[in-house]
Amino acid sequence: MSSALTIRNLSSRPVELKRYEYHATAPSLSRGGIANITQNVTSLFKNATTPAAPPVTEPVSAFIHQDVSIRVEPFTSLQTDVKPQSPNETLHLTFETEGEQHRLETPTPTSDSTTLEPLAENPRFKYTAVHLLEHSHITLYSSAYLSSWMRSLRDDTPLSALSIPGTHNSPTCHRALPSVRCQATSPPEQLDNGVRFFDIRVQPEAPLDPTKAGLILVHGVFPISLTGKKYLRDLLNEVYTFLDRNPSETVIISLKREGTGDATDAQLSRILKDHYAGDPNRWFTAPRIPYLGEARGKVVLIRRFGLDDSLKHEWGGAGWGIDAENWADNTPNATCPSGDVCVQDFYEVLETENIEKKIQYSQDHLERAAKCICELPEHGEIPATTPPKQPFYINFLTASNFWKVGCWPEKIAAKLNPAIVDYLCRRHNEPANTESGPAQASGDGGTGIVVCDWVGYKGNWDLVRCIVGMNAKLEMREHKK
């Protein structure tokens, strides 16, 4: 017998289950057919270019229905008495928010998660649902447009308080050597689907000539493509194009020097300042974490390189760029000396058995981020002199072993990404049970910056969309203030 259905409401408003119905389905949607086309977890939010969700499947008949009143408060879970029936049945659930009803059919009839069907014209609310069939668990999110998801957040929100999807070695989507390629999609597609943090490694092409601007994109000592050099300039032009189309957004770029040759960090810093990041309308290069309003429409620089002496005197002697120079290597948890970055970057997964250790380290860092409570300014204005106190929690879900096929980036991502999606849907910032009932979850429930490999593979943006959804609790606090 299947376990009773649990509903988790990760939206900012109470939802009430008003009715459930069991329907016999047509043979083409028998359990076997659905199993072949439905994933446990799939895309949570429809972006502006995504087609509308398919209509609810027409049932053969509704042979059981029950009117109920099951209220699920924001950011809580509730186990119901509703149980799945036979394999040839679908379950229709009708939810209500402030008098407005939305219907969900499960299992979903396509490989996408379901956008709930509004039962009234011109609905004020929009929901999507993730059904984890294995656990008989439904998670409800408020829908968001991924190409511009930051627009609903206040200007005085510290950037470090947000739940931000990121990619590791972001431009490595080309044909390349094993373990060099880490991404399934191009940087523009990543941006359009909600990614707002890029991890980039570069090699100065002519470091001894200060007039030369060439910065080659690399991963370790290898070029990112077997078909020719790729350059930072082209990547940045794609970022600028995206920000021009979506001025509410910002893109954080973490930059590090890698590759071959004798170039130094000081040379890289001069090239970047003189040829790329000198325009304050395009770049935020202050050595502190910005508020969102300061960063909209701009690239925010996190530097994993040392500075030329001339740049150490920038910003009144405070330096240039957010300082992550002394980034601990292969660490499950460490804070950079600047105090602005707390990182989980354990990457030496030498055997497939160690993937479970990596999953645990990743979940632990998510817990650290979730416990933070953002200090929102009193009057909704960006403080002129006080930088945010909360550091960036940067959580790499990435690892590899060049010498073991089962530990190449795509193999690890195939195990780690679904595990983290499941964790976010069912357990992240979930209140602990006490003798008197569930306790209040501490913190804003954010994730920090979650850096992924192989997101968007075959159109699956699950992980990115779960991360964006975790901004709801902070957004609710902002609207109440």
Side-chain angles (χ1 to χ4, degrees), residues 79-93:
Q79 187 174 38
T80 70
D81 293 328
V82 181
K83 291 187 177 182
Q85 298 295 298
S86 73
N88 292 332
E89 297 166 10
T90 61
L91 176 63
H92 291 193
L93 305 170

Side-chain angles (χ1 to χ4, degrees), residues 340-383:
D340 287 334
V341 173
C342 181
V343 63
Q344 182 282 120
D345 191 18
F346 174 76
Y347 58 82
E348 288 187 354
V349 176
L350 302 181
E351 301 291 339
T352 54
E353 293 79 6
N354 290 340
I355 295 176
E356 291 301 320
K357 179 189 292 187
K358 175 66 179 181
I359 291 172
Q360 187 60 57
Y361 287 158
S362 301
Q363 293 175 352
D364 291 345
H365 213 56
L366 288 170
E367 288 185 16
R368 295 183 191 102
K371 292 177 181 178
C372 294
I373 299 177
C374 170
E375 294 186 12
L376 294 172
E378 286 296 327
H379 303 293
E381 297 179 356
I382 298 173

